[in-house]
Structure formats: C-alpha cells, structure tokens
Amino acid sequence: MFKKLLIATVTLGCLGLAGFGALAWRPAIAPVVRPAAGSFAPELIVRGEALAGGGYCAACHTAKGGEKFAGGYAMETPFGAIYSTNITPDPETGIGSWSEAAFRRAMHEGVSRDGSHLLPVFSYDHFTKLSDDDVRALYAYFMTRPPVHAARQQNGIPFPFNIRYLQAGWKLLFFRPGRFEPDAEKSAEWNRGAYLALGLSHCGACHTPRNLLGAEISGNAYGGAVIDNWVAPPLTAANPAPAWTHEELYDYLRTGTSKLHGTAAGPMYPVVQGLGALPDSDIRALATYFADLDKAADRLPYVSGAVSLAMSSAVAKQGAPFDPDARLYAAACASCHYNATNAPLAARPDLALNSAVHLSDPSNLIQVILQGIGSEAGMPGVVMPAFAGAFSDTEIARIAAYLRRTRTSLPPWPDLAARIAEIRRHNSKAN
C-alpha cells in the first residue's frame, strides 16, 4: 500500500514538474540584422520618442554618468540589487538583434528574445496594456538610437530568485496579460489618462505597495509605497495633502511644480521630465484620471480654508512663547518658504500644504532637507540648498518635528533622528 502511494506521489510530482516546465518554456525568437534607420517612418520615430519620454525609459535604463539607454542603473529591491539592461540597438549587448516581434513579446509578456522570463522589475505587467501601434513606435525609436556597447551587470539577487524559469510561477500568480480596455462609463479623456497611467507611465510600479513576492497589491492600487528611501505618496483619496485639485495635478505633472504643493523631487522629477515629451492633452488626461482617483472634487470646497490656515500658520504670533525650534526653522528655511500674501507663490511653496509634512513616514521631508533640490529638478532657476553638511541629525529632526507640530494636527513622527541617520547612510552608499 505504502509503495503504491509513494509511486502515485512521485508520478504526480513528475507530471506537475513536466506541466510547469511546459508552461514556463518559451521559444527563442531568431535574431535579425538591425533594421536600417531609413526603414522606419520619421513620424513613427517621433511618436516613439514621445512615448519613451512618457514611460521615462531613460530614468531606469541609464546609469548615473552613463550613456543614455545603455542600462546599468541599480535598482535596490527586497531581493537584492537588479541592474537595468542595455536597450540601445547594439547587437551584442543591447537589443540590436531583436525583431519587432521579440520586442513586442518582451513588452506584452515579459519574455526576452532568447526565451527567458524577464524579472518583474521591468514593468511588463503595465506595458502589456500598450497597443501594438505604440509598441511599434517605441521599437522604431529605440532601433534608431546610437548603439552603445555596454555589457549587462550581474544582478545581486540570490538563489532561487535568480532562476528565470521560476518567474513563470510568479506570472501565473500575479500577471494578467492583455491590452487596455476602456471604461465605457468614463470620458475619453479619463480613459486616455488611465491608459497612460496603467500602461505607458506605469505609475503603480512606484505608487502601489507590493506583497512579499514583489507583486503590486491589486486591492490597494496607488495606495502609496516606499521606494529607494523615498515615499511615493498615495494617489487616491488617502493622500493627506489638502490641495490636490485637478489644476494642481496638471501643473505638477506638466511643469514639475505646483503652487499649492511644491516641487517634484527625488525619484519623481525624472518622471515629470519624461512626461514633458507628451502633448498637453495627455497631461490633462493624466490629471483628469488622478483627480478622479483622489476625489479632487470633494477636496475642492476645502482648499481655500486649507490655504488660509497654512498662511496663518506661517506667521509668527505676537506674544507667543520663545520656541528655539521656530528660530532654527526661521534661520534656515523661512526666508524661502515664507509668503506675505494670502496664497503661496510657486517659487515659495508653503510646507503646510505639502505631502511630505503630512505623510506618516518623514522620509521625503528628510531627503529634501538633506539633499536639497537641484536646478535640474522642479522649477527652472529655483534651487533649494542641501543641508546635509550644515545640520546635524538632531537639528534636522528638530526642524522636521517643528513643521509636523505647527503645520499639521497629526501625531509626531517617532525616532526621527534614527531615521535621518539611516537615510544618511543610504545616501552615502548611493553616491
């Protein structure tokens, strides 16, 4: 009896492995000679360039100081460091030998030309929603870039996560391939915004929290997540900043800054720069989509009151007790963040309206204080100096705690100094 049971178990196990192997196996697609640049219509290349910007492909496929699209950008994940690949048309180290069919399979199914499964850090779970026409335009654009010979760097993910065959199991659990399907109950503009956000711009890749296996949690789309020691804030009604209206969203995505919120910083500013390649109608569509998600219409009646409260919070009160933290803030920050009028100027964002002060995680505020905002991000010509070398962890903690205490009604952040020290260590390694 035992022998029969053992044989049945082994047989079932073998059949299961064989079935999984058949499911996971994907054929290689034959290499091709790189198509001549003249074989692509100029307007198709131009369109592909705009789409590559809207997908901010350069942000992940360009290493610091490296050639554009040549890969080597390190992405820290809970499973280890993963390096982006070379997507220039170099035939040996890039995608120069990829046919359009191979490129489309990678975008829509997450499978490389050689048949291996791609790691989900490449957002094929979003790109699967792109139309064939848009994928064709992207292919035309990348195939007409200058080829760069840049070998792939070895990823730092351990066994068994580095087994590409097992990615088929991940896909079975979490990946649902298919093109974008419009919502018939929504406007054409909303659907265009949804197509861009869910597909090309893969906003959920940063703004949706992930489970232990690295998949986006479908029941908490755009619920906010930590990425590279920054917080990608919620893009839903859960966003704590009081003034994310449709126009504020549009201004932020179009220009990188918003009068009632402030400047894009950290991992977000390359996104805004990439979106700059898209037409104005697409940015308005994105604003329409996210304004619907974050219930901007419900926020609108309260914006005026929130702005008035923010302005009054910034004014020193006569007879108020001496506050050394207020003096520190006034010396370091108030000269740029103070507004004498009844509304903030775009170049002088009021921190009482900014997400960074309202989030439950202080990382964004700490990062901006430590690193500042360079001239390449946000509003042209407007910079914020970095205070990493000027202030101790204790002083930065005092400023952050002061803003939290005086600009919100939220509870204080715990262990601020420890968090600041942790972020300093991370930034030091990254640089």
Side-chain angles (χ1 to χ4, degrees):
M1 182 64 185
F2 175 75
K3 186 176 179 182
K4 289 182 178 178
L5 187 61
L6 180 62
I7 292 173
T9 301
V10 171
T11 302
L12 285 174
C14 291
L15 288 173
L17 284 174
F20 180 78
L23 175 75
W25 181 80
R26 303 301 300 273
I29 294 179
V32 299
V33 176
R34 177 189 172 192
S39 64
F40 299 105
E43 58 271 22
L44 190 65
I45 299 171
V46 170
R47 184 175 158 207
E49 182 177 18
L51 292 168
Y56 39 97
C57 307
C60 286
H61 285 279
T62 305
K64 188 176 182 180
E67 296 281 350
K68 192 174 184 180
F69 301 130
Y73 176 80
M75 292 168 277
E76 296 294 339
T77 77
F79 309 96
I82 298 175
Y83 294 88
S84 61
T85 55
N86 181 354
I87 55 171
T88 73
D90 181 70
E92 293 183 13
T93 63
I95 61 170
S97 63
W98 289 39
S99 64
E100 184 181 322
F103 183 78
R104 185 168 55 249
R105 186 174 71 170
M107 296 290 285
H108 282 164
E109 302 175 36
V111 178
S112 184
R113 188 196 64 75
D114 64 5
S116 62
H117 291 278
L118 296 171
L119 298 171
V121 70
F122 174 65
S123 297
Y124 60 81
D125 50 339
H126 290 272
F127 302 144
T128 188
K129 298 184 183 303
L130 291 180
S131 69
D132 287 354
D133 286 346
D134 279 352
V135 172
R136 183 172 300 115
L138 283 165
Y139 179 74
Y141 174 66
F142 287 119
M143 280 298 167
T144 52
R145 297 308 91 203
V148 179
H149 190 84
R152 172 184 296 181
Q153 294 195 47
Q154 289 299 315
N155 295 324
I157 51 177
F159 177 85
F161 301 111
N162 59 352
I163 300 176
R164 296 301 180 107
Y165 232 62
L166 294 183
Q167 293 302 316
W170 190 94
K171 289 178 176 178
L172 193 63
L173 291 171
F174 305 116
F175 177 48
R176 301 293 176 266
R179 307 299 89 77
F180 173 76
E181 295 184 4
D183 185 336
E185 296 185 357
K186 301 290 187 179
S187 68
E189 186 175 62
W190 186 98
N191 275 301
R192 177 62 180 169
Y195 172 76
L196 294 169
L198 294 169
L200 180 70
S201 299
H202 54 291
C203 305
C206 289
H207 287 275
T208 297
R210 295 176 181 269
N211 62 25
L212 292 176
L213 292 177
E216 293 176 26
I217 300 174
S218 59
N220 194 16
Y222 304 120
V226 175
I227 175 169
D228 209 16
N229 272 292
W230 288 77
V231 177
L235 302 180
T236 64
N239 188 295
W244 276 127
T245 64
H246 180 280
E247 285 307 306
E248 291 295 313
L249 286 165
Y250 167 78
D251 288 346
Y252 185 80
L253 295 172
R254 178 78 291 174
T255 68
T257 190
S258 146
K259 183 175 61 176
L260 298 185
H261 184 269
T263 297
M268 188 60 194
Y269 86 77
V271 174
V272 173
Q273 289 181 329
L275 292 177
L278 294 179
D280 207 50
S281 57
D282 279 350
I283 305 302
R284 291 203 176 277
L286 279 168
T288 295
Y289 174 67
F290 284 116
D292 185 36
L293 290 188
D294 86 346
K295 307 298 181 190
D298 295 343
R299 294 171 188 251
L300 199 55
Y302 304 100
V303 170
S304 176
V307 172
S308 297
L309 181 62
M311 295 298 100
S312 66
S313 299
V315 177
K317 306 294 190 300
Q318 190 171 13
F322 176 75
D323 185 338
D325 297 336
R327 173 168 287 191
L328 182 62
Y329 172 79
C333 316
S335 60
C336 290
H337 286 286
Y338 175 71
N339 289 275
T341 57
N342 58 1
L345 301 173
R348 291 174 170 271
D350 192 282
L351 297 175
L353 301 170
N354 192 285
S355 297
V357 180
H358 292 264
L359 290 168
S360 58
D361 183 329
S363 296
N364 288 5
L365 183 62
I366 294 169
Q367 288 279 28
V368 170
I369 295 174
L370 287 173
Q371 300 190 49
I373 298 176
S375 57
E376 74 281 6
M379 182 177 287
V382 177
V383 300
M384 174 180 159
F387 289 94
F391 283 153
S392 67
D393 292 356
T394 301
E395 289 168 325
I396 292 174
R398 284 175 54 198
I399 291 175
Y402 167 76
L403 286 169
R404 182 78 163 181
R405 184 173 77 244
T406 58
R407 268 48 172 188
T408 80
S409 57
L410 298 166
W413 287 308
D415 303 323
L416 265 172
R419 182 63 182 138
I420 294 164
E422 182 182 353
I423 291 176
R424 271 193 199 269
R425 284 194 297 273
H426 174 271
N427 291 351
S428 176
K429 288 180 183 176
N431 293 328

